[in-house]
Amino acid sequence: MPPNLQKTFRASWFPASSITRTGPSFLPFLYPQQRSASILSSLSDNAGAYHRKIRRGRGPSSGKGKTSGRGQKGQKARGKVPRGFNGGQTTEEVYHGVRGFENQFSIELKPLNLEKVQTWVDQGRLNPSQPITIRELAKSRCVSQVEDGIKLLAKGSEKVTSPLHIVASRASASAIAAVEAAGGSVTTRYYTPQSIKRIIKGKTDPIHSLQSQIAIPVEERGERKEYPVRLPDPTSRKDIEYYRDPAHRGYLSHHLEEGQGPSLFFKTPGVGKSVARKTRSKSASATVNRIW
């Protein structure tokens, strides 16, 4: 709207007598500030958002003169080279192509042998009267750079003499048998890379979570400590089935009923509701299907 029309309309809306009565304090609201159209010609982006175009071949003082930054002679100085070009012979993409794939669901477990754990106990670096978790193993330097968890292996199992109570991510069957033969126990529970970092820093309980009912016979040291962040439980079917299996000494095995298997998909034979099927006798079916 042109400025002269705005003044005309405002003057008709608010007579001069009413403006004088309202006082000078209301004048800024009645006549808001108007910007000139010349502001459009001075708009610019932030400093450094745009760069000047490099002028090549305009003298040696610019640093891009004569050869324009391409060097002397050769294929790259005279023209463009396609990506992966290997002088006309078979390209590297054909000779050494990418084969296979990267499994996004794979996890890297840190191996831990029983002989190393027993050595740390003999040296007094681990306390066998308390549960041996990721926190104790990391602080004692028994393992380092734990990413997705720890797997307990049975190398040197004949050297195990102390009753050890170990909580790890995974454990082999021979390692479980060796620890339990010495009077100890093995418990496997679920960890995430983020929870492992919090456990080492002392911000998360290394054993207990909402679904866990882990009972380890150790010396009592007062009440259980409260942590700011709780330990997560598995959500994928593969992890849930592993930690529900009593053979793996999973911490979720208490959810299974007697005779029930750890699988969430396949039903255990003989467990569940049995539906009685109605069967006809052979004589009745023969009578019905008889033509005459």
Side-chain angles (χ1 to χ4, degrees), residues 164-186:
L164 307 175
H165 304 284
I166 304 175
V167 181
S169 303
R170 304 282 177 92
S172 63
S174 53
I176 294 174
V179 173
E180 292 179 350
S185 63
V186 175

Side-chain angles (χ1 to χ4, degrees), residues 10-286:
R10 284 172 182 161
S12 61
W13 293 341
F14 302 97
S17 59
S18 62
I19 295 176
T20 55
R21 289 197 301 271
T22 54
S25 61
F26 291 93
L27 291 179
F29 299 98
L30 297 178
Y31 291 94
Q33 182 181 4
Q34 296 181 1
R35 293 185 176 181
S36 175
S38 63
I39 193 176
L40 300 177
S41 62
S42 61
L43 294 177
S44 62
D45 207 332
N46 298 329
Y50 294 95
H51 301 277
R52 290 187 61 184
K53 179 182 178 181
I54 298 177
R55 300 177 72 242
R56 302 178 183 272
R58 296 297 184 268
S61 61
S62 64
K64 300 294 181 183
K66 190 187 174 184
T67 56
S68 303
R70 284 174 170 252
Q72 296 181 3
K73 302 181 182 179
Q75 186 179 12
K76 294 183 180 179
R78 298 187 175 97
K80 295 183 179 180
V81 182
R83 183 187 64 85
F85 186 72
N86 199 13
Q89 59 187 358
T90 307
T91 59
E92 293 292 329
E93 294 180 357
V94 177
Y95 270 125
H96 306 287
V98 179
R99 293 177 176 83
F101 68 98
E102 182 182 357
N103 188 1
Q104 299 294 335
F105 301 98
S106 63
I107 56 178
E108 295 183 5
L109 298 177
K110 197 75 174 181
L112 176 62
N113 294 310
L114 289 176
E115 61 177 358
K116 190 172 184 179
V117 178
Q118 185 62 45
T119 302
W120 254 242
V121 171
D122 296 339
Q123 294 176 358
R125 303 170 71 174
L126 288 174
N127 186 9
S129 62
Q130 293 296 321
I132 300 175
T133 63
I134 293 180
R135 181 185 301 169
E136 285 74 23
L137 294 172
K139 285 186 176 182
S140 63
R141 295 296 181 180
C142 190
V143 294
S144 60
Q145 298 179 353
V146 182
E147 296 183 1
D148 296 324
I150 296 176
K151 183 170 183 178
L152 189 64
L153 302 178
K155 183 179 179 180
S157 58
E158 64 277 358
K159 300 180 182 179
V160 178
T161 56
S162 304
L164 307 175
H165 304 284
I166 304 175
V167 181
S169 303
R170 304 282 177 92
S172 63
S174 53
I176 294 174
V179 173
E180 292 179 350
S185 63
V186 175
T187 305
T188 58
R189 72 147 297 120
Y190 175 75
Y191 295 106
T192 60
Q194 293 78 12
S195 63
I196 292 174
K197 295 179 181 179
R198 291 194 294 264
I199 287 172
I200 296 175
K201 293 179 181 179
K203 297 182 179 180
T204 303
D205 193 330
I207 301 177
H208 302 284
S209 60
L210 294 179
Q211 299 185 17
S212 64
Q213 294 183 4
I214 303 175
I216 301 178
V218 296
E219 297 179 0
E220 296 292 338
R221 292 190 176 182
E223 297 180 357
R224 184 187 300 179
K225 180 182 176 181
E226 295 184 359
Y227 296 89
V229 184
R230 69 174 180 85
L231 194 61
D233 291 310
T235 55
S236 64
R237 173 188 164 187
K238 181 179 179 181
D239 294 331
I240 293 174
E241 290 180 351
Y242 182 89
Y243 294 108
R244 277 165 53 99
D245 195 350
H248 299 153
R249 303 300 185 269
Y251 78 107
L252 298 178
S253 58
H254 62 277
H255 291 298
L256 298 181
E257 300 178 358
E258 185 178 357
Q260 185 180 2
S263 177
L264 299 175
F265 183 78
F266 298 101
K267 294 184 178 180
T268 306
V271 177
K273 298 181 180 180
S274 59
V275 180
R277 297 181 179 179
K278 297 181 181 180
T279 57
R280 297 179 179 180
S281 60
K282 294 183 179 181
S283 59
S285 60

